[in-house]
Amino acid sequence: TIMKVKKLLALVLSAMMAISMLTACGGGNGVKNVSVSNSEVEAIFAAENIEVNVKTTNTAKTAAKAIAGAMRELNSNVIYEDSTKQILANALINSYPSGDYVGNCYYITRAEMEAVGADVETVAASAVATFGQGKDFEIGVVEVETKDGVSCIVAVALMQR
């Protein structure tokens, strides 16, 4: 059920946040598209008997790039602070036609993701899972380097109204 997925994701996210205090890594400059397997994202939910349909779209990629653009101006030590989350939420909201979509994002440093053995599909599934309900989602995943050189994965999930 959705509660099982949320509990599993909460556990994984808690581990990732604990590790984030100890790790960092570099990467290339700019924002890069990240390839994600829609069927693997769907399989994460199917393992919990939850049916979702995901597809990668330019609208969702544009939203992910908007968040990444804001993250490029930040140091990695502040990306999880509440004030930063609001800045990134505003970037998300301003990136898509507000009457047509609702959106959620999830981001994590590449080092944290690798330390817990997660992959980009898990990060994308985390963005989808934050909705708590719904079946059809558009996703976009990018990689960005923060101002202090830390590589982060940004996933956006959009749902049409």
Side-chain angles (χ1 to χ4, degrees):
T1 66
I2 288 186
M3 290 307 292
K4 286 182 183 179
V5 170
K6 284 185 177 183
K7 286 180 184 179
L8 176 64
L9 289 173
L11 178 63
V12 169
L13 299 177
S14 295
M16 289 180 193
M17 288 182 73
I19 291 169
S20 72
M21 298 172 73
L22 304 171
T23 60
C25 67
N29 291 329
V31 178
K32 298 182 269 183
N33 285 325
V34 175
S35 180
V36 62
S37 167
N38 295 338
S39 61
E40 287 184 32
V41 173
E42 292 170 350
I44 291 170
F45 289 94
E48 295 294 329
N49 295 318
I50 300 169
E51 183 183 346
V52 298
N53 301 310
V54 297
K55 64 181 176 179
T56 303
T57 67
N58 286 333
T59 302
K61 282 184 183 181
T62 298
K65 287 177 182 178
I67 294 167
M71 287 182 82
R72 276 198 322 229
E73 304 301 318
L74 301 168
N75 286 322
S76 61
N77 65 328
V78 300
I79 62 173
Y80 297 117
E81 292 181 2
D82 287 341
S83 59
T84 301
K85 289 178 184 177
Q86 187 60 49
I87 291 168
L88 300 177
N90 289 339
L92 173 64
I93 290 167
N94 293 326
S95 68
Y96 58 81
S98 60
D100 297 337
Y101 293 95
V102 291
N104 283 319
C105 76
Y106 183 78
Y107 52 90
I108 185 170
T109 69
R110 181 168 280 285
E112 293 167 341
M113 185 180 82
E114 292 171 355
V116 297
D119 55 21
V120 294
E121 286 77 18
T122 304
V123 177
S126 297
V128 170
T130 57
F131 277 100
Q133 62 181 350
K135 183 178 174 186
D136 297 312
F137 300 94
E138 298 178 27
I139 60 172
V141 182
V142 297
E143 184 169 5
V144 64
E145 192 174 283
T146 60
K147 190 175 183 180
D148 57 346
V150 175
S151 179
C152 296
I153 303 297
V154 178
V156 166
L158 299 177
M159 184 171 62
Q160 289 191 338
R161 292 183 189 257

